[in-house]
Amino acid sequence: MSQLKVYQYPKCSTCRSAVKWLQGQGHELELQHIAEQPPGVEELRTLVKNSGLELKKFFNTSGEVYKSLGLKDKLPQLGEQEQLELLASNGMLIKRPIVSDGKNVTVGFKEETYAEAWGGK
């Protein structure tokens, strides 16, 4: 199986479920603590591009930091670069887990999506 990079927060139950599922499929994982070591602007730009998702899908909209900064109202006024810099500045703003093999990227954890992207046992 392939080596996957997983940007995750170890205390997050969704991240733990995703890691367990991926390990169950036989993947080798490189785990990166998203709060202690958030991805940089260029790394995020690549992840967004490879995911095929809109940048706003990378924001953890249910998180405390997102709410305390009032980003629901501010985000639409921010340009792409500003949004990427915001995400890179605080890993807790990033929806997790993010999984990447260098080409494909998934955000969050839904078993169906993972089976499609990372299955193959």
Side-chain angles (χ1 to χ4, degrees):
M1 279 282 121
S2 58
Q3 162 117 20
L4 300 175
K5 185 162 191 174
V6 182
Y7 302 85
Q8 50 108 33
Y9 184 63
K11 292 182 179 146
C12 166
S13 61
T14 304
C15 291
R16 288 196 305 265
S17 297
V19 165
K20 186 176 176 183
W21 190 93
L22 290 165
Q23 287 171 332
Q25 296 297 308
H27 290 285
E28 247 183 78
L29 305 179
E30 177 191 339
L31 301 176
Q32 183 167 325
H33 194 303
I34 207 162
E36 292 175 358
Q37 194 184 355
V41 171
E42 290 311 312
E43 196 173 354
L44 282 163
R45 191 184 312 278
T46 301
L47 289 167
V48 172
K49 186 173 137 268
N50 290 347
S51 74
L53 299 170
E54 295 174 76
L55 178 53
K56 67 181 184 182
K57 298 282 189 196
F58 278 74
F59 280 87
N60 178 10
T61 55
S62 58
E64 292 298 316
V65 180
Y66 183 90
K67 290 175 181 169
S68 70
L69 293 175
L71 291 178
K72 182 177 182 239
D73 299 322
K74 292 179 186 167
L75 219 48
Q77 281 81 48
L78 297 176
E80 179 185 342
Q81 184 65 26
E82 291 169 301
Q83 290 184 37
L84 289 167
E85 286 171 5
L86 196 56
L87 286 171
S89 73
N90 187 332
M92 297 308 279
L93 280 172
I94 303 172
K95 185 170 173 76
R96 55 193 183 261
I98 297 175
V99 181
S100 174
D101 64 1
K103 293 187 204 99
N104 301 309
V105 174
T106 56
V107 180
F109 175 60
K110 286 197 173 89
E111 206 165 313
E112 319 78 76
T113 308
Y114 270 45
E116 204 174 289
W118 315 118
K121 207 175 186 184

